[in-house]
Amino acid sequence: FPVTIAAREAFFKALGNQEVFNYKDLEVTNEVNGKPQFKFLNELSKYCEDKSIHLSISHTSEYAMAIVIIES
């Protein structure tokens, strides 16, 4: 659970201050092979449909980290 919070934080930081979206419109899920991915809802889905978004997450028992790259 902390790693999903880290992923959301990384996503919104990667967006910068240019747009305001609801935090609840972003979910972290996994592909069949286990690769993490974002699921976008509502206005955030429309904003992200033409972007390539990369997510990498990692965690230990003490730390969680996430890296997000957004390409236009």
Side-chain angles (χ1 to χ4, degrees), residues 43-57:
E43 293 299 315
L44 188 55
S45 176
K46 293 174 190 169
Y47 178 82
C48 293
E49 66 186 8
D50 64 342
K51 297 179 178 20
S52 180
I53 300 172
H54 310 278
L55 169 63
S56 178
I57 59 176

Side-chain angles (χ1 to χ4, degrees), residues 52-67:
S52 180
I53 300 172
H54 310 278
L55 169 63
S56 178
I57 59 176
S58 184
H59 60 89
T60 66
S61 60
E62 296 180 33
Y63 301 100
M65 56 111 14
I67 297 172

Side-chain angles (χ1 to χ4, degrees), residues 3-4 7 27-39 52-58 67 69 71:
V3 76
T4 61
E27 297 177 2
V28 179
T29 63
N30 291 323
E31 293 180 4
V32 175
N33 64 1
K35 179 182 174 188
Q37 65 181 3
F38 287 118
K39 178 179 179 184
S52 180
I53 300 172
H54 310 278
L55 169 63
S56 178
I57 59 176
S58 184
I67 297 172
I69 298 172
E71 298 179 291

